[in-house]
Amino acid sequence: MKKSRLSCYYLGLMVGLLVGVGGTGLSGQAASHNQTVTFGQLTNQNPHRLAAIRAAARQTLLTKTHAKASRVPAVFAVKLPTHMTKKATLTAKGLRMNLLPNAFNVRQIVIPYNQLSGKILNRYLPKKNRPVILKAKKVVALTFDDGPDPTLTPRLLKTLARNHVHATFFEVGQSVSRYPKVTRAVVKAGNEVGNHSWNHPDFNRIGTVASVQQVIRTDRAIYAATGKLPQYVRPPYGNITAAEGRQIQHPIIRWSVDSRDWAYLNTQKDISEVLRTTHPGSIILMHDIHAQSVAAVPTIIKRLKAKGYRFVTVSQLLNNQALPGLQYFAANNYRTAGK
């Protein structure tokens, strides 16, 4: 798998943050309330950041209207800003945006600043909402695909809780719809839930339109279970085209450590493969639908902790700065989705 050092994107992000805290007479403080700004200013002309603002706007619109899950497809049809010259207003509570006529009959929303952390430049955020950069070097993110399983996922949650570890679960929409209580339990325990398609097709085979519908349908199921749209998508088999990367309006999460647990179905082999290939910043891929995989987790956690590793969620590993249109393999290892 292609690896990179500090990519151009993160260099741009760092420069953007530096620009955001100086040169404007703000002395590093958040911009003043009721200040009109363009999206170009908010994002340093970064289209991925603007896509992240649109994602936050969708969640805000659903929350504001107390929308049922059946309204999730409609929120993706709402026309949201795509041009950097469009304007919004910084208020005490968040970013105020005017909306074009839409099916929700809402003319204006205010996106809370805590939903914009890592999405807009730091200079426009209150200090408490600015991303917290992980200082520890030996951090990894455990991720589990293809659940929820009504028996194995709760068993795994108990293991994670006993070891004070949080993980990220990429769930299949039809299983979420069947076992929403399990998905809620995943979130209640402090873990993250991501989108892993509705029924696990190869996106490269079904095409862009069908792939987008797979994602939206699963977003709807996860929203029905948790009240929140998932932030991330992991395409089945890791396959995604450039066109799908542009149209699927979520950060794409891949992996750098493949346990191959689905192939082995052998607890000891699962343990050996993960320990052999894990490095600082790794995103580890496992599955919570195989008993052998779930049985391997306690030993994996114990042995990696003994080596000085700390376990974090994908959001923490990426410093809450993952953006739509990009795919992430590990900390500081990403590129444009589909490339």
Side-chain angles (χ1 to χ4, degrees):
M1 184 173 291
K2 181 179 178 181
K3 293 185 178 180
S4 65
R5 294 183 179 180
L6 197 61
S7 71
C8 292
Y9 165 72
Y10 268 142
L11 286 173
L13 177 62
M14 293 173 68
V15 171
L17 294 178
L18 289 173
V19 170
V21 298
T24 62
L26 295 175
S27 302
Q29 300 298 316
S32 60
H33 297 154
N34 298 319
Q35 176 185 348
T36 299
V37 290
T38 67
F39 287 103
Q41 291 173 310
L42 289 170
T43 65
N44 199 29
Q45 306 294 328
N46 186 323
H48 300 294
R49 286 182 181 271
L50 183 52
I53 294 174
R54 291 195 295 269
R58 294 185 191 100
Q59 179 63 58
T60 299
L61 186 52
L62 291 171
T63 301
K64 177 182 176 68
T65 59
H66 305 284
K68 295 182 179 180
S70 60
R71 301 291 283 159
V72 167
V75 84
F76 281 93
V78 175
K79 293 183 178 179
L80 295 168
T82 57
H83 299 291
M84 296 296 180
T85 56
K86 297 295 183 180
K87 296 179 180 179
T89 303
L90 297 162
T91 74
K93 295 183 178 181
L95 183 69
R96 187 170 66 223
M97 295 171 49
N98 293 324
L99 302 180
L100 293 171
N102 56 77
F104 293 84
N105 295 317
V106 173
R107 296 183 178 182
Q108 192 177 83
I109 57 173
V110 177
I111 305 174
Y113 288 118
N114 61 10
Q115 293 187 30
L116 295 170
S117 177
K119 282 45 175 187
I120 66 176
L121 300 186
N122 272 0
R123 56 173 283 201
Y124 297 111
L125 289 168
K127 287 186 177 180
K128 66 179 181 179
N129 297 124
R130 295 175 185 179
V132 176
I133 306 302
L134 284 176
K135 295 182 179 180
K137 293 182 179 180
K138 297 188 77 172
V139 291
V140 293
L142 277 174
T143 68
F144 299 93
D145 284 11
D146 295 355
D149 180 272
T151 301
L152 296 177
T153 302
R155 185 182 304 172
L156 175 58
L157 291 177
K158 290 180 180 179
T159 296
L160 296 176
R162 279 196 303 268
N163 289 277
H164 308 288
V165 167
H166 293 138
T168 303
F169 291 73
F170 290 94
E171 298 190 338
V172 174
Q174 63 181 7
S175 295
V176 175
S177 183
R178 190 173 297 130
Y179 309 114
K181 290 183 179 179
V182 181
T183 297
R184 283 195 290 274
V186 169
V187 174
K188 185 177 181 180
N191 304 288
E192 293 182 320
V193 171
N195 183 319
H196 195 41
S197 81
W198 177 256
N199 59 359
H200 211 277
D202 184 336
F203 284 3
N204 287 358
R205 292 179 179 272
I206 66 174
T208 301
V209 173
S211 297
V212 170
Q213 289 305 309
Q214 284 269 329
V215 169
I216 293 176
R217 191 176 182 185
T218 302
D219 277 358
R220 174 177 172 173
I222 293 173
Y223 178 85
T226 69
K228 300 289 184 182
L229 295 174
Q231 183 174 354
Y232 307 119
V233 167
R234 174 173 280 167
Y237 315 105
N239 291 341
I240 188 167
T241 66
E244 290 158 359
R246 290 189 296 270
Q247 294 298 317
I248 293 173
Q249 300 178 60
H250 302 265
I252 305 300
I253 305 300
R254 301 282 292 276
W255 58 87
S256 55
V257 173
D258 187 352
S259 67
R260 291 185 58 79
D261 55 351
W262 57 271
Y264 299 134
L265 296 179
N266 181 296
T267 296
Q268 290 306 314
K269 285 188 177 181
D270 295 344
I271 293 168
S272 298
E273 187 65 18
V274 171
L275 295 179
R276 182 181 69 84
T277 55
T278 294
H279 299 283
S282 292
I283 296 176
I284 301 168
L285 169 63
M286 299 187 72
H287 297 78
D288 57 330
I289 60 169
H290 304 308
Q292 298 88 340
S293 305
V294 172
V297 173
T299 301
I300 288 171
I301 292 174
K302 180 179 178 180
R303 293 189 182 177
L304 286 178
K305 279 188 173 182
K307 293 182 178 182
Y309 281 96
R310 175 186 167 195
F311 293 88
V312 296
T313 63
V314 165
S315 289
Q316 292 170 326
L317 186 75
L318 302 178
N319 296 312
N320 291 294
Q321 296 181 63
L323 300 175
L326 301 176
Q327 57 181 340
Y328 298 81
F329 298 87
N332 301 331
N333 182 0
Y334 56 91
R335 56 180 178 266
T336 301
K339 294 186 179 179

